[in-house]
Amino acid sequence: MKRFVCPLVLLAVVAANALEDGQIKLPIFKHPTAHLTKRAEDIPLYNTDAREYIVEIGLGTPVQKFNFTLDTASPGLWVSSSQCSPLDCLYSRFAEKESSTLKQTNNTFDIPYGNGSAKGLLAYDTISFGNLTSANHIIGLANATSYQSALSSSTRVSGVLGLGIPGISGDSTEPTFVEQLSLNKAIGKAMFAIYFNRQDKHGETGKIAFGGFHEEYITRPIFGCDIVDYNKQGQPNIGKTYTNTTGDKIYKYWTVPGQTVAAYASNSSKVGETDFVDVAPAILDSGTTLSYLPQKDVVRILETITKDYVPLQSDGGPIRAYQVNCSDFTKQKMWFDFQLTKSPNASSTSPGVIRVPLRELVLPQNTDDLFTATTCIFGLAPTPKEFLTPSGTGWILGQTVLRSTYILYDIFYRQVVIMEAKNNYDMPILSLSNTNHGNVKTH
Ligand SMILES: *[C@@H]1O[C@H](CO)[C@@H](O)[C@H](O)[C@H]1NC(C)=O
Ligand SMILES: *[C@@H]1O[C@H](CO)[C@@H](O)[C@H](O)[C@H]1NC(C)=O
Ligand SMILES: *[C@@H]1O[C@H](CO)[C@@H](O)[C@H](O)[C@H]1NC(C)=O
Ligand SMILES: *[C@@H]1O[C@H](CO)[C@@H](O)[C@H](O)[C@H]1NC(C)=O
Ligand SMILES: *[C@@H]1O[C@H](CO)[C@@H](O)[C@H](O)[C@H]1NC(C)=O
Ligand SMILES: *[C@@H]1O[C@H](CO)[C@@H](O)[C@H](O)[C@H]1NC(C)=O
Ligand SMILES: *[C@@H]1O[C@H](CO)[C@@H](O)[C@H](O)[C@H]1NC(C)=O
Ligand SMILES: *[C@@H]1O[C@H](CO)[C@@H](O)[C@H](O)[C@H]1NC(C)=O
Ligand SMILES: CC(=O)N[C@H]1CO[C@H](CO)[C@@H](O)[C@@H]1O
């Protein structure tokens, strides 16, 4: 359980759907290649201890390379600055003075994470990865961070690559990392797609594509939808409190409407399902190790697997996770359907389904291998209070669920397309009637 991300600033972003000109509406999956732009650029993803994904990016001229945590739920790119004390910024720091392309500003940034924070001054500089070089990216130069001490020392990251929708500067007109790549014509459309690979694959196993996606990582499309907007108080505009606003929308996270989770035994019979109380805001968060659901839903799902579990909490505080016996997760075959609805305020009879195998819903605790570990952590934990809606629901889909997906994040249209990742698990294939293609816009 690493951290949740809660950016301070809410940003008013101009309604994306105002731009109707030249927009072609097609069910995207009939012509998946129509969505592939020619200039998709890749960065490999490293899986460190199955608890964090890191990418290597170069900064400045000449290039200085750093590793960053990949996080779809926080804003902007920040790096440890040479101004930061080595006691605070534990790993390589950016030598700003050596970069001839750096433009310093006096504007500050301050990002609080669930565990740790980073703050400092904003600057502009060139970024590079692979063969790609792109100028004038806004970069946070952290002169203080309690973020790194929250990470394991095997993860020598120098900062975070945040791919959330609001930018790091708090100015809604400031392009995000991916939008700047697109403005500089380093990539085509402002979109990206992430393939994590299975939990048991360590090292350089995944891939993030900018400007398009890779068909080779996909088994089938699952779902496409507009992302959920937030009101001025920071609450998701969803469920019983949904209002069909036509004015400017605030986008805070990559949030989609969640419905229920169903558990299946190896003989394909449904052995449990969470109650549908309301549509749940489901935040897609690559920077979080576990996934989060309301506590009673977590317990209901866990008890379809085992009755043998220990809640982890400190001093009567909230339960942070459940410790389990790994063998309960390796000796049986089950799977879990995370159902998504297209409507922000109604359940669907043909939901989009993210199917997650049992093996992906558990993390080894005392080794990095499920089969040698003696204790494990259940991949679902109770949603912290601040992420629950007034109807008591709220999901954060972290790595334990996202590893079963390949998601295309489309910044321009404020949409996501969720596909089933090719992970070679032996599970019943979702029938097409179980998928909800929707009417996703193509470019
Ligand atoms: C980033 O991490 C990978 C995997 O640990 C390592 O091979 C690479 O050298 C690191 N890059 C930098 C710039 O530290
Ligand atoms: C930042 O502030 C310092 C001190 O007030 C000033 O000397 C400097 O010119 C400012 N830099 C920029 C880029 O505005
Ligand atoms: C970091 O920068 C901010 C903004 O300039 C400043 O207020 C703060 O004192 C600096 N902190 C350290 C540790 O240098
Ligand atoms: C760089 O571009 C060359 C020629 O287009 C290509 O062969 C090579 O694979 C690229 N390298 C990377 C790291 O993308
Ligand atoms: C969803 O919201 C719309 C607009 O506010 C409303 O007309 C509709 O009745 C709502 N549907 C449900 C199921 O609450
Ligand atoms: C919101 O309003 C638009 C335009 O009137 C309509 O097309 C859409 O179906 C409505 N959404 C919901 C959930 O009621
Ligand atoms: C399927 O397996 C579950 C759990 O092991 C069991 O409760 C159920 O009776 C089985 N159903 C069939 C049709 O065999
Ligand atoms: C886990 O369960 C198995 C039996 O299923 C048992 O042999 C083992 O002792 C248990 N381990 C722990 C740590 O409870
Ligand atoms: C800044 C912060 O909240 N750090 C905490 C991160 O989590 C570790 C382990 O749970 C705590 O020991 C830190 O205090």
Side-chain angles (χ1 to χ4, degrees), residues 46 54-57 65-69 156-160:
Y46 297 92
I54 61 177
V55 295
E56 188 182 71
I57 293 177
K65 285 187 178 175
F66 301 96
N67 276 330
F68 295 89
T69 304
R156 305 172 66 85
V157 297
S158 296
V160 173

Side-chain angles (χ1 to χ4, degrees), residues 83-85 88 106-109 119-121 141-144:
Q83 304 296 304
C84 182
S85 150
D88 243 11
N106 278 337
N107 301 327
T108 58
F109 77 100
K119 54 184 149 190
L121 293 176
L141 305 175
N143 69 352

